[in-house]
Amino acid sequence: MPSQINQDDINKAVWNACDTFRGVISADTYKDFILTMLFLKYLSDVYRDEYNKLVEQFGDNPELIHAMMSKQRFVLPEGASFWDLYEQRHQPGNGQRIDEALHAIEEANGTKLKNVFQDISFNTDKLGQEKQKNELLRHLLEDFGKDILNLSVERVGSLDVIGNAYEFLIKHFAASSGATAGEFYTPPEVSNLLATILEPVEGDEICDPACGSGSLLIKCGAMVRKNSNSKKYALYGQEAIGSTWALAKMNMFLHGEDNHRIEWGDTIRNPLLLDKDGKHLLQFDVVTANPPFSLDKWGHEDASSDPYGRFHRGVPPKTKGDYAFISHMIETLKPSTGRMGVVVPHGVLFRASSEGKIRQQLIEENLLDTVIGLPANLFFGTGIPAAILIFKKNKTDNTVLFIDASKEYNSGTNQNTLTHEGLKKIVDTYKNREIVDKYAYLSSFSEISENDFNLNISRYVDTFEEEAEINLVTVRTERLALQAELNSLELEMTGYLEELGYDA
């Protein structure tokens, strides 16, 4: 039996595999090659492992083995596994062979993997001319063919190990992707915070309408298992960017989240999570997202005639789509159990005009539950501070809790991170719903109304620190003492200069 691999070893091995591409193409380009190869290697190792076990049991009955293999979680057609590609790595045409294998795997697995590999091509000119491309892909196959990356069930133990390695790669790619990182990555501590506050439980249907690579949904699934020790829940999502949607699909399978429905398309212009008739939006117990901040060209031109009536509180401004996502999410909440957490830029709290009118109606309908101010520079691709808005469909009072957690962070070279203590403080304060000096304030509806429905956290949480009083007599005494010390040093220096023959 092979010895189990630990998380650090697999993380290091998959990160080292990136060396093949470093200095040749950008990380934003090669991330899709690495992540897809990890997924293919996982499918192939698990499939080969199962095949070998069946051969040991039924070696003299190939028809039975074939029938049983066709019922595996994933089916690999003959010639399409990683190991088939690995054996031919020294021959010309690696790019074409990999693309053909991925296409065959898609075809063999029906709707489960439909279109997942359509936006990825290993046979691309981005890898250079044919000879260079073939060499790069040979090296990539050899990196993943090493013993350290044997991803069979016995070797990795829990599927979480592979899922965690996938998340590890996504995080590192986000760190080097600059402005585009926000399209597919939400920092894990923010995902943990949202999942903890929203408390998904057994039986919940959970949705992220701007799901990126799916990490927030996966955190919510893990929270159900933690809270209820149950896998009876369903994950739903939609993602506009095809390559990111593919990452989300692979991420789901690598975390064992087979009960998911992730659609590919623009949530605002073309919502796809609809009922069987396609006329009404599906509704969920938990809706959570980190949508793109202040998205320009979000679909303003068609919003006033939206067939799903999502913008009945008003149409958000043309160049800022924040309230378009908020409006969509509110309309997808179940009437009794619906709860929602969304990450937004601070402008959402106080901008006037159409946004102010939408914000006022949401508060007047008693949907807003909590406003949490986060530290600056938490998110890849933007340094601006963000906030989390918590909405609930079935509130028991009309108060709104404001939390200023902007100082609860560890400084990093490129990004700040929420501290463990900071996260616990936010969660405890959220649950207790009490005023905490210079940190949290429980506001009544009338107070918010008096503030013209402006939710700027500083209007409610007073973080002003009085400066210590200055004793001018003490300051003057200290100043005179320093002057006397300076005069003494000047005399001493003059003496040294005279001894050395310098004319003072």
Side-chain angles (χ1 to χ4, degrees):
M1 179 175 174
S3 59
Q4 284 200 356
I5 190 172
N6 67 45
Q7 192 69 62
D8 288 342
D9 286 342
I10 191 172
N11 288 356
K12 185 178 179 182
V14 293
W15 189 240
N16 286 343
C18 299
D19 287 342
T20 291
F21 297 115
R22 290 190 180 105
V24 181
I25 55 175
S26 70
D28 199 40
T29 300
Y30 71 67
K31 80 176 193 305
D32 294 334
F33 299 124
I34 295 289
L35 292 167
T36 302
M37 189 58 70
L38 177 61
F39 185 65
L40 174 62
K41 184 60 162 51
Y42 159 71
L43 297 186
S44 301
D45 283 354
V46 170
Y47 196 79
R48 186 175 69 168
D49 199 34
E50 191 60 34
Y51 180 80
N52 289 339
K53 286 178 183 175
L54 291 176
V55 168
E56 282 182 22
Q57 285 182 275
F58 311 107
D60 57 347
N61 194 337
E63 290 83 7
L64 176 61
I65 293 171
H66 179 76
M68 294 180 76
M69 289 304 295
S70 68
K71 292 180 172 59
Q72 293 298 307
R73 183 175 172 225
F74 293 99
V75 176
L76 293 191
E78 192 172 338
S81 84
F82 170 87
W83 293 108
D84 296 314
L85 298 167
Y86 181 82
E87 286 173 9
Q88 300 175 75
R89 66 191 184 280
H90 292 289
Q91 299 174 23
N94 278 326
Q96 184 176 341
R97 273 194 300 276
I98 297 173
D99 284 357
E100 288 173 353
L102 295 175
H103 178 70
I105 292 169
E106 265 191 24
E107 291 289 310
N109 287 276
T111 57
K112 189 177 278 190
L113 292 178
K114 185 180 180 182
N115 295 329
V116 167
F117 304 122
Q118 67 173 357
D119 270 10
I120 177 77
S121 174
F122 286 78
N123 195 29
T124 173
D125 292 341
K126 290 177 182 177
L127 296 178
Q129 296 181 351
E130 190 61 34
K131 185 177 180 183
Q132 174 181 300
K133 174 171 49 179
N134 218 52
E135 282 296 291
L136 285 172
L137 294 176
R138 176 177 68 80
H139 286 303
L140 182 65
L141 289 164
E142 288 174 349
D143 284 335
F144 276 91
K146 292 176 180 175
D147 288 342
I148 189 70
L149 282 177
N150 174 354
L151 304 179
S152 63
V153 176
E154 289 182 346
R155 185 85 194 288
V156 299
S158 166
L159 187 57
D160 287 341
V161 174
I162 303 171
N164 291 342
Y166 197 81
E167 291 275 349
F168 167 86
L169 282 172
I170 290 173
K171 178 178 181 178
H172 279 73
F173 289 136
S176 57
S177 292
T180 63
E183 293 173 355
F184 60 86
Y185 187 73
T186 299
E189 60 270 19
V190 176
S191 297
N192 280 331
L193 176 60
L194 282 162
T196 303
I197 283 177
L198 294 171
E199 260 186 309
V201 294
E202 183 178 24
D204 274 355
E205 293 178 298
I206 304 160
C207 179
D208 182 344
C211 69
S213 56
S215 58
L216 181 46
L217 282 172
I218 288 165
K219 285 287 194 309
C220 287
M223 193 61 64
V224 178
R225 298 195 300 275
K226 179 182 175 184
N227 292 338
S228 312
N229 194 28
S230 169
K231 284 207 73 173
K232 292 181 181 177
Y233 58 89
L235 303 180
Y236 297 79
Q238 186 163 340
E239 171 53 41
I241 300 168
S243 58
T244 305
W245 169 81
L247 293 187
K249 291 286 288 184
M250 289 187 275
N251 204 6
M252 289 286 158
F253 289 125
L254 287 174
H255 280 88
E257 296 288 7
D258 289 13
N259 189 18
H260 70 259
R261 177 181 167 189
I262 310 293
E263 299 287 354
W264 172 31
D266 186 316
T267 285
I268 305 302
R269 288 185 174 89
N270 184 28
L272 295 170
L273 295 170
L274 305 171
D275 62 12
K276 290 179 181 177
D277 298 329
K279 294 180 180 179
H280 301 98
L281 300 168
L282 288 177
Q283 293 187 324
F284 307 95
D285 303 283
V286 173
V287 180
T288 185
N290 173 22
F293 287 0
S294 300
L295 183 66
D296 192 6
K297 299 174 183 173
W298 54 268
H300 177 274
E301 60 279 359
D302 299 319
S304 59
S305 58
D306 178 54
Y308 309 102
R310 290 172 293 173
F311 307 110
H312 59 86
R313 297 177 186 87
V315 176
K318 189 175 183 179
T319 58
K320 289 182 173 62
D322 303 302
Y323 273 100
F325 285 99
I326 292 170
S327 299
H328 169 86
M329 293 169 74
I330 290 286
E331 297 307 306
T332 63
L333 290 173
K334 289 184 180 179
S336 57
T337 57
R339 54 215 189 270
M340 163 184 157
V342 58
V343 183
V344 296
H346 273 250
V348 165
L349 305 178
F350 56 79
R351 290 193 298 246
S353 192
S354 58
E355 291 183 294
K357 292 173 184 174
I358 298 168
R359 183 171 60 245
Q360 178 174 337
Q361 287 189 59
L362 290 170
I363 296 166
E364 287 176 340
E365 291 173 42
N366 198 26
L367 292 168
L368 181 64
D369 180 78
T370 304
V371 179
I372 304 169
L374 299 173
N377 208 33
L378 281 185
F379 297 89
F380 290 105
T382 178
I384 66 171
I388 290 175
L389 301 182
I390 304 296
F391 294 90
K392 286 186 177 177
K393 268 296 185 99
N394 200 9
K395 285 178 65 183
T396 55
D397 62 29
N398 66 352
T399 62
V400 175
L401 179 66
F402 291 84
I403 298 174
D404 183 356
S406 59
K407 297 179 178 64
E408 309 291 328
Y409 67 91
N410 286 326
S411 296
T413 307
N414 298 314
Q415 303 297 129
N416 295 329
T417 55
L418 274 167
T419 64
H420 176 73
E421 296 76 15
L423 282 169
K424 186 177 186 305
K425 186 176 179 182
I426 294 170
V427 172
D428 290 346
T429 305
Y430 171 79
K431 288 179 178 177
N432 293 332
R433 277 188 103 68
E434 294 175 351
I435 294 173
V436 179
D437 188 40
K438 302 193 185 307
Y439 183 75
Y441 183 76
L442 191 62
S443 175
S444 66
F445 171 82
S446 60
E447 286 176 283
I448 296 174
S449 178
E450 286 167 13
N451 275 310
D452 294 323
F453 299 94
N454 184 320
L455 300 176
N456 204 333
I457 297 169
S458 60
R459 290 192 175 214
Y460 304 90
V461 182
D462 181 11
T463 58
F464 178 74
E465 298 282 353
E466 288 189 12
E467 294 186 14
E469 288 187 11
I470 298 172
N471 188 318
L472 292 177
V473 175
T474 303
V475 170
R476 184 172 182 274
T477 302
E478 290 174 354
R479 180 169 170 270
L480 290 171
L482 288 169
Q483 280 183 330
E485 187 178 349
L486 179 61
N487 290 337
S488 174
L489 288 170
E490 290 282 6
L491 287 171
E492 192 176 339
M493 181 62 73
T494 301
Y496 290 145
L497 290 172
E498 287 175 354
E499 286 179 22
L500 294 169
Y502 289 94
D503 187 358

